[in-house]
Amino acid sequence: MKLQPYTSGFEHWSDELRKLDLMIAFKLQCKIELEGDENPLDPMRGLLITDDEVMRLLRTNGKAGSNGELPPTLAGMQDEIAELNEVIAERLSLAVESTAGWQSALMRLVKRFKLNRFEQEVIVMALAPEYNRKYEKLYGYLQDDVTSKLPTVDLALRLLCDNESERYAARSSFQAEQPLQRWLLAADEGDATSTLARPLRLDGRIVSFLLEAERSDGRLEGWVSRFEGGVNGDGESEDDGKGEELQPLLIGASKQGEMRRFAELHLEAGKPAVLHLYGAGGSGKQLHAKHLAASLNRPLLLLQGDSLEAERMKTVTVLHQLFREAKLTDSIVGIAGGDHFMAPDGKLTMYRTVIEQWIRRSGGLLLWLSRERAHYSELPVPSRSVIYQVELTPPTIEEQRMLWRIWGEESAAASESAEAMADKFRLSPGQINRAVLEAKRLAEHEGADYTEEVHFERGAAVQLNHELEKKAKKLNPRYTFEDLILPHEHLDLLRQACNMMKYRRDVYGTWGFDRKLSYGKGLSMMFAGPPGTGKTMAAEVAANELGLEAYKIDLSQVISKYIGETEKNLHDIFKEAQRTNAILFFDESDALFGKRSEVKDAHDKYANVETAYLLQKMEEYEGVSILATNFQQNIDDAFLRRINIVVKFPFPDAEHREKLWRTMFPAATPLASDVDFAALAARIEVAGGNIKNIVLTAAFMAAAAGRPVGMRELVASARQELKKTGKILVNSEWDSFF
């Protein structure tokens, strides 16, 4: 009869358990023939399970639809065991060679954990009670202990080995460093009186794998995500099925090829290696990890490092389960949030040793994902292993346009609206993807025919949550160019500055300037002028015009007396602003960006270091930075050379003061007929900030008196404002107002 390949795990296990029954029967028959038929075992056994019941259980050999008898002789049993071994091996081989290429769970387990023949048989013995409870009775009978329902090390050695020499050699399989004990058997609870008495219970995940009852370890849910073909266990893909289109865009084709060759080389050779992907949040690290694994035709198990607990035993257990699952399912392990393991004062640094041991023992490939580049000593790398580091840099303006267009492609109008976002926002690939998804949800919620620009703007704004507010105050832009009273040439300069951001897509992208410049692609402006001339208002106007968030830097939170602390604060500010494309507004910046002084002592030396550091960060920053100063002469010349636009805010003359007086009053404010804006502008020489204070105080005076705002209130308020600066308003013709 021609043998057929196995087509299911049930068929294979039926034959394996039939063979186990024959082996048990053979050992019993040997004992009977050696010791005689008359009660060869402890008579107490018969009170619980009779010899006849044992034979009945063994005749139920697990083969579908078979109740065949056991061979009557030892020789017959040996022949059938040998024949069944050949049948199992042949049918497994045929299954692998078949078109479907099916391989049993047991054989996959043996191959992936490199088990020998004895260890394979131990797995079958340990699984048997999970498959059929009759083996609990059989093992109790064989071990002369009805409470011992699981096989022990002693029983495995007696049943599977032919002599003492084989048993002596086989004991090494139960040592802690061996795969059987380390990965497959459940942890010893410590009740066994000796190694021989130790029960052999398979870990629950191994049972579910062998019986094909669970696709992945459910205990890892919440810590680990499984991706196969770039898609997770729920059938969702972060790149919305456009990974092949995005790969050449997100990282150079040459680097992609190098990453894959590196992975293939070390996977094939079984050498320990770490592929380290680092870059800002949302730069595509997880996307690259998913598609690298998919290109290697391997599942990816991605651990979220920040989800782990500081509690040692739980974290070690999760890591152990993760690495075993990787071997079990032939997956690649990725650890996202690797910074949590790298920080010297982090709670998870101790677990780098656990990860390092896994790489050393398994010779596996580990994908390490972090925001920051790591030193060799910070990575969980055993000696003689290899590291390949790949930096994911922020996309260029042109690349951002392509990302918005690819993900926002819904209609021609939607694609055009999405593409325009690259001019307004400096987002990473992950942020762009999430912004588009949010925009589409908003459009669907509002019942729009397609996603409009306003939806994309709102979706992008959601991605700009950051931590700048710890060291800065967020401005709430309300002003437009119509509210800003400045000479035309100064307004033109400010409009020109805004256009440098609006049209950066064309200049840096389409026209190719991005490839010519390695830094200095941001917009830096200086607003110089006396207090109250509109510098802060101009910053809000720019933010409103560009549709970006603006933050006023709190210098008290930046400058520190401790060496190096100021630079650290500035680094954090620029780094966070770069991630979110925020406008940085340094008010009274001459206190921070002052002229570098001659070095006379250590204080001068470190002050100059801080200034030089700021020069560097200003040039590197690709967003908008605005420096406001009351005294331009105090600004270091080196800064001025690196400023794109310098807007001088002159003290307003009478003409501009009159405009300021008129624009300060909202349309709903009741004004008395005696208000003379021209006279106020001519006789009260103050800047816009002072005019705002005068108008607001006068409005409260009038409201308290129950009458419209008139000259009486305005003159009285002006006198109060001037007194603050030591000036006195002297004009006899206004005395009639009091």
Side-chain angles (χ1 to χ4, degrees), residues 300-343:
L300 171 68
L301 298 177
L302 190 62
L303 170 70
Q304 299 297 333
D306 55 358
S307 68
L308 291 179
E309 303 172 4
E311 197 276 308
R312 178 177 175 82
M313 290 308 298
K314 180 63 179 177
T315 299
V316 170
T317 299
V318 169
L319 290 172
H320 175 79
Q321 292 169 347
L322 166 65
F323 298 140
R324 181 186 56 205
E325 187 70 11
K327 292 178 70 69
L328 199 61
T329 58
D330 199 26
S331 301
I332 292 175
V333 173
I335 296 184
D339 305 85
H340 293 275
F341 296 87
M342 288 155 42

Short mmCIF file of all heavy atoms in Angstrom, two decimals, residues 300-343:
data_model
loop_
_atom_site.label_atom_id
_atom_site.label_comp_id
_atom_site.label_asym_id
_atom_site.label_seq_id
_atom_site.Cartn_x
_atom_site.Cartn_y
_atom_site.Cartn_z
N LEU A 300 7.06 39.37 12.22
CA LEU A 300 7.75 40.30 13.12
C LEU A 300 6.99 40.36 14.44
O LEU A 300 5.78 40.57 14.45
CB LEU A 300 7.81 41.70 12.51
CG LEU A 300 8.32 42.82 13.43
CD1 LEU A 300 9.80 42.63 13.74
CD2 LEU A 300 8.07 44.19 12.82
N LEU A 301 7.71 40.16 15.53
CA LEU A 301 7.15 40.35 16.87
C LEU A 301 7.73 41.64 17.42
O LEU A 301 8.93 41.72 17.71
CB LEU A 301 7.51 39.17 17.77
CG LEU A 301 6.97 37.80 17.33
CD1 LEU A 301 7.45 36.71 18.27
CD2 LEU A 301 5.44 37.81 17.27
N LEU A 302 6.89 42.66 17.54
CA LEU A 302 7.34 43.98 17.91
C LEU A 302 6.94 44.29 19.35
O LEU A 302 5.75 44.43 19.67
CB LEU A 302 6.75 45.03 16.97
CG LEU A 302 7.31 46.44 17.06
CD1 LEU A 302 8.81 46.44 16.74
CD2 LEU A 302 6.57 47.37 16.13
N LEU A 303 7.94 44.38 20.21
CA LEU A 303 7.71 44.69 21.63
C LEU A 303 7.73 46.20 21.82
O LEU A 303 8.65 46.87 21.37
CB LEU A 303 8.79 44.04 22.49
CG LEU A 303 8.84 44.46 23.97
CD1 LEU A 303 7.64 43.91 24.72
CD2 LEU A 303 10.13 44.01 24.62
N GLN A 304 6.72 46.71 22.52
CA GLN A 304 6.70 48.13 22.87
C GLN A 304 7.43 48.29 24.21
O GLN A 304 6.87 47.97 25.26
CB GLN A 304 5.26 48.64 22.96
CG GLN A 304 4.49 48.54 21.66
CD GLN A 304 5.09 49.38 20.54
OE1 GLN A 304 5.75 50.39 20.79
NE2 GLN A 304 4.88 48.97 19.30
N GLY A 305 8.67 48.76 24.14
CA GLY A 305 9.49 48.83 25.34
C GLY A 305 8.89 49.67 26.45
O GLY A 305 9.03 49.34 27.63
N ASP A 306 8.18 50.75 26.08
CA ASP A 306 7.63 51.61 27.11
C ASP A 306 6.43 51.00 27.81
O ASP A 306 5.91 51.55 28.78
CB ASP A 306 7.25 52.97 26.53
CG ASP A 306 6.30 52.84 25.34
OD1 ASP A 306 5.98 51.71 24.96
OD2 ASP A 306 5.88 53.89 24.80
N SER A 307 5.94 49.83 27.32
CA SER A 307 4.80 49.18 27.96
C SER A 307 5.23 48.25 29.09
O SER A 307 4.40 47.79 29.87
CB SER A 307 3.99 48.38 26.93
OG SER A 307 4.74 47.26 26.46
N LEU A 308 6.53 47.95 29.15
CA LEU A 308 7.01 47.03 30.17
C LEU A 308 6.98 47.69 31.54
O LEU A 308 7.09 48.91 31.67
CB LEU A 308 8.44 46.58 29.85
CG LEU A 308 8.59 45.66 28.63
CD1 LEU A 308 10.05 45.32 28.43
CD2 LEU A 308 7.78 44.39 28.80
N GLU A 309 6.87 46.86 32.54
CA GLU A 309 6.81 47.35 33.91
C GLU A 309 8.20 47.31 34.54
O GLU A 309 9.09 46.60 34.09
CB GLU A 309 5.84 46.48 34.73
CG GLU A 309 4.44 46.42 34.14
CD GLU A 309 3.57 45.40 34.86
OE1 GLU A 309 4.05 44.82 35.85
OE2 GLU A 309 2.43 45.20 34.42
N ALA A 310 8.34 48.08 35.59
CA ALA A 310 9.62 48.07 36.30
C ALA A 310 9.75 46.84 37.19
O ALA A 310 10.83 46.49 37.63
CB ALA A 310 9.75 49.34 37.14
N GLU A 311 8.61 46.17 37.46
CA GLU A 311 8.62 44.98 38.31
C GLU A 311 9.41 43.88 37.62
O GLU A 311 9.07 43.45 36.51
CB GLU A 311 7.17 44.55 38.59
CG GLU A 311 7.01 43.61 39.76
CD GLU A 311 7.28 42.16 39.37
OE1 GLU A 311 6.67 41.72 38.38
OE2 GLU A 311 8.10 41.50 40.02
N ARG A 312 10.44 43.40 38.28
CA ARG A 312 11.42 42.55 37.61
C ARG A 312 10.85 41.25 37.07
O ARG A 312 11.02 40.93 35.89
CB ARG A 312 12.57 42.26 38.59
CG ARG A 312 13.63 41.34 37.99
CD ARG A 312 14.79 41.13 38.94
NE ARG A 312 15.73 40.16 38.39
CZ ARG A 312 16.67 40.44 37.50
NH1 ARG A 312 16.79 41.67 37.06
NH2 ARG A 312 17.48 39.51 37.05
N MET A 313 10.16 40.49 37.91
CA MET A 313 9.74 39.16 37.50
C MET A 313 8.80 39.21 36.30
O MET A 313 8.90 38.40 35.38
CB MET A 313 9.07 38.43 38.67
CG MET A 313 10.03 38.05 39.78
SD MET A 313 11.49 37.12 39.17
CE MET A 313 10.69 35.66 38.50
N LYS A 314 7.88 40.17 36.30
CA LYS A 314 6.93 40.27 35.20
C LYS A 314 7.65 40.60 33.90
O LYS A 314 7.37 40.00 32.85
CB LYS A 314 5.88 41.35 35.51
CG LYS A 314 4.84 41.54 34.41
CD LYS A 314 4.03 40.27 34.20
CE LYS A 314 2.97 40.47 33.13
NZ LYS A 314 2.22 39.24 32.87
N THR A 315 8.58 41.54 33.95
CA THR A 315 9.29 41.94 32.74
C THR A 315 10.16 40.81 32.21
O THR A 315 10.20 40.56 31.01
CB THR A 315 10.15 43.18 33.03
OG1 THR A 315 9.29 44.25 33.43
CG2 THR A 315 10.94 43.60 31.81
N VAL A 316 10.87 40.13 33.09
CA VAL A 316 11.70 39.00 32.66
C VAL A 316 10.83 37.92 32.03
O VAL A 316 11.20 37.31 31.01
CB VAL A 316 12.50 38.44 33.85
CG1 VAL A 316 13.18 37.12 33.48
CG2 VAL A 316 13.55 39.44 34.31
N THR A 317 9.66 37.67 32.60
CA THR A 317 8.75 36.67 32.04
C THR A 317 8.29 37.06 30.64
O THR A 317 8.27 36.23 29.73
CB THR A 317 7.51 36.50 32.96
OG1 THR A 317 7.95 36.06 34.24
CG2 THR A 317 6.54 35.50 32.38
N VAL A 318 7.93 38.33 30.47
CA VAL A 318 7.48 38.79 29.14
C VAL A 318 8.60 38.65 28.12
O VAL A 318 8.38 38.18 27.00
CB VAL A 318 7.01 40.26 29.23
CG1 VAL A 318 6.80 40.84 27.83
CG2 VAL A 318 5.72 40.35 30.02
N LEU A 319 9.83 39.03 28.50
CA LEU A 319 10.96 38.91 27.57
C LEU A 319 11.22 37.45 27.22
O LEU A 319 11.47 37.12 26.05
CB LEU A 319 12.21 39.54 28.19
CG LEU A 319 12.20 41.07 28.31
CD1 LEU A 319 13.40 41.55 29.11
CD2 LEU A 319 12.18 41.72 26.94
N HIS A 320 11.14 36.56 28.22
CA HIS A 320 11.34 35.14 27.97
C HIS A 320 10.28 34.61 27.00
O HIS A 320 10.59 33.88 26.05
CB HIS A 320 11.29 34.37 29.29
CG HIS A 320 11.37 32.87 29.12
ND1 HIS A 320 12.56 32.22 28.90
CD2 HIS A 320 10.41 31.91 29.12
CE1 HIS A 320 12.34 30.92 28.77
NE2 HIS A 320 11.04 30.71 28.91
N GLN A 321 9.03 34.97 27.24
CA GLN A 321 7.94 34.51 26.37
C GLN A 321 8.10 35.06 24.96
O GLN A 321 7.82 34.38 23.97
CB GLN A 321 6.60 34.92 26.97
CG GLN A 321 6.25 34.18 28.25
CD GLN A 321 5.05 34.80 28.97
OE1 GLN A 321 4.61 35.90 28.64
NE2 GLN A 321 4.53 34.09 29.95
N LEU A 322 8.56 36.31 24.86
CA LEU A 322 8.76 36.92 23.55
C LEU A 322 9.81 36.18 22.75
O LEU A 322 9.60 35.83 21.58
CB LEU A 322 9.16 38.39 23.73
CG LEU A 322 9.73 39.10 22.50
CD1 LEU A 322 8.67 39.22 21.42
CD2 LEU A 322 10.28 40.47 22.87
N PHE A 323 10.97 35.93 23.37
CA PHE A 323 12.06 35.29 22.64
C PHE A 323 11.73 33.84 22.29
O PHE A 323 12.13 33.34 21.24
CB PHE A 323 13.35 35.39 23.46
CG PHE A 323 13.79 36.80 23.72
CD1 PHE A 323 14.30 37.18 24.95
CD2 PHE A 323 13.68 37.76 22.73
CE1 PHE A 323 14.69 38.49 25.19
CE2 PHE A 323 14.07 39.07 22.95
CZ PHE A 323 14.58 39.43 24.20
N ARG A 324 11.00 33.15 23.18
CA ARG A 324 10.59 31.79 22.86
C ARG A 324 9.60 31.80 21.69
O ARG A 324 9.68 30.97 20.79
CB ARG A 324 9.94 31.12 24.06
CG ARG A 324 9.53 29.67 23.74
CD ARG A 324 8.77 29.02 24.85
NE ARG A 324 7.59 29.76 25.22
CZ ARG A 324 7.02 29.69 26.42
NH1 ARG A 324 7.54 28.91 27.35
NH2 ARG A 324 5.95 30.40 26.70
N GLU A 325 8.68 32.77 21.71
CA GLU A 325 7.71 32.87 20.62
C GLU A 325 8.41 33.13 19.29
O GLU A 325 7.99 32.63 18.24
CB GLU A 325 6.71 33.99 20.91
CG GLU A 325 5.56 34.09 19.94
CD GLU A 325 4.57 32.95 20.06
OE1 GLU A 325 4.67 32.17 21.04
OE2 GLU A 325 3.70 32.83 19.18
N ALA A 326 9.49 33.91 19.33
CA ALA A 326 10.24 34.18 18.11
C ALA A 326 10.83 32.89 17.54
O ALA A 326 10.77 32.65 16.33
CB ALA A 326 11.35 35.20 18.40
N LYS A 327 11.42 32.06 18.41
CA LYS A 327 11.97 30.79 17.94
C LYS A 327 10.86 29.85 17.50
O LYS A 327 10.98 29.14 16.50
CB LYS A 327 12.80 30.13 19.06
CG LYS A 327 14.08 30.86 19.41
CD LYS A 327 14.83 30.19 20.53
CE LYS A 327 15.45 28.87 20.10
NZ LYS A 327 16.56 29.05 19.14
N LEU A 328 9.77 29.87 18.23
CA LEU A 328 8.67 28.95 17.96
C LEU A 328 8.03 29.22 16.61
O LEU A 328 7.67 28.29 15.87
CB LEU A 328 7.62 29.08 19.07
CG LEU A 328 6.62 27.95 19.26
CD1 LEU A 328 7.33 26.66 19.61
CD2 LEU A 328 5.64 28.32 20.38
N THR A 329 7.87 30.50 16.27
CA THR A 329 7.18 30.87 15.04
C THR A 329 8.14 31.36 13.96
O THR A 329 7.70 31.88 12.93
CB THR A 329 6.14 31.96 15.33
OG1 THR A 329 6.80 33.09 15.92
CG2 THR A 329 5.08 31.46 16.29
N ASP A 330 9.45 31.20 14.19
CA ASP A 330 10.47 31.61 13.23
C ASP A 330 10.31 33.09 12.89
O ASP A 330 10.33 33.47 11.72
CB ASP A 330 10.38 30.76 11.97
CG ASP A 330 11.66 30.82 11.15
OD1 ASP A 330 12.72 31.08 11.73
OD2 ASP A 330 11.58 30.62 9.91
N SER A 331 10.12 33.90 13.92
CA SER A 331 9.88 35.33 13.75
C SER A 331 11.12 36.14 14.04
O SER A 331 12.06 35.66 14.68
CB SER A 331 8.74 35.80 14.67
OG SER A 331 7.55 35.10 14.41
N ILE A 332 11.10 37.38 13.59
CA ILE A 332 12.14 38.34 13.92
C ILE A 332 11.64 39.20 15.07
O ILE A 332 10.49 39.63 15.07
CB ILE A 332 12.48 39.21 12.69
CG1 ILE A 332 13.16 38.34 11.62
CG2 ILE A 332 13.38 40.38 13.07
CD1 ILE A 332 13.42 39.07 10.33
N VAL A 333 12.50 39.45 16.03
CA VAL A 333 12.13 40.27 17.18
C VAL A 333 12.53 41.71 16.94
O VAL A 333 13.65 42.00 16.52
CB VAL A 333 12.81 39.76 18.47
CG1 VAL A 333 12.55 40.72 19.63
CG2 VAL A 333 12.30 38.38 18.83
N GLY A 334 11.59 42.61 17.20
CA GLY A 334 11.88 44.04 17.17
C GLY A 334 11.51 44.65 18.50
O GLY A 334 10.49 44.29 19.09
N ILE A 335 12.32 45.55 18.99
CA ILE A 335 12.03 46.24 20.25
C ILE A 335 11.91 47.73 19.95
O ILE A 335 12.89 48.40 19.63
CB ILE A 335 13.12 45.99 21.31
CG1 ILE A 335 13.14 44.49 21.67
CG2 ILE A 335 12.88 46.83 22.55
CD1 ILE A 335 14.10 44.13 22.76
N ALA A 336 10.66 48.22 20.02
CA ALA A 336 10.40 49.64 19.82
C ALA A 336 10.55 50.36 21.16
O ALA A 336 10.28 49.78 22.21
CB ALA A 336 8.99 49.85 19.26
N GLY A 337 10.96 51.61 21.12
CA GLY A 337 11.19 52.33 22.37
C GLY A 337 12.44 51.86 23.06
O GLY A 337 12.50 51.76 24.29
N GLY A 338 13.47 51.54 22.26
CA GLY A 338 14.71 51.06 22.84
C GLY A 338 15.38 52.05 23.77
O GLY A 338 16.23 51.68 24.57
N ASP A 339 14.97 53.34 23.67
CA ASP A 339 15.55 54.36 24.55
C ASP A 339 15.29 54.03 26.02
O ASP A 339 16.07 54.41 26.89
CB ASP A 339 14.94 55.73 24.23
CG ASP A 339 15.10 56.09 22.77
OD1 ASP A 339 14.26 55.67 21.96
OD2 ASP A 339 16.08 56.77 22.44
N HIS A 340 14.17 53.34 26.30
CA HIS A 340 13.84 53.00 27.68
C HIS A 340 14.88 52.04 28.28
O HIS A 340 15.06 52.00 29.49
CB HIS A 340 12.45 52.38 27.76
CG HIS A 340 11.35 53.33 27.42
ND1 HIS A 340 10.79 54.18 28.35
CD2 HIS A 340 10.73 53.60 26.25
CE1 HIS A 340 9.86 54.91 27.77
NE2 HIS A 340 9.79 54.58 26.50
N PHE A 341 15.53 51.26 27.44
CA PHE A 341 16.55 50.32 27.91
C PHE A 341 17.94 50.96 27.90
O PHE A 341 18.85 50.45 28.52
CB PHE A 341 16.58 49.08 27.01
CG PHE A 341 15.33 48.26 27.05
CD1 PHE A 341 14.28 48.55 26.20
CD2 PHE A 341 15.20 47.20 27.94
CE1 PHE A 341 13.12 47.79 26.23
CE2 PHE A 341 14.05 46.44 27.97
CZ PHE A 341 13.00 46.74 27.12
N MET A 342 18.09 52.07 27.16
CA MET A 342 19.40 52.67 26.98
C MET A 342 19.70 53.75 28.02
O MET A 342 20.86 54.03 28.31
CB MET A 342 19.51 53.29 25.58
CG MET A 342 19.61 52.27 24.46
SD MET A 342 19.02 52.87 22.86
CE MET A 342 19.69 54.51 22.80
N ALA A 343 18.66 54.39 28.56
CA ALA A 343 18.88 55.49 29.50
C ALA A 343 19.62 54.99 30.74
O ALA A 343 19.21 54.00 31.35
CB ALA A 343 17.54 56.10 29.91
#
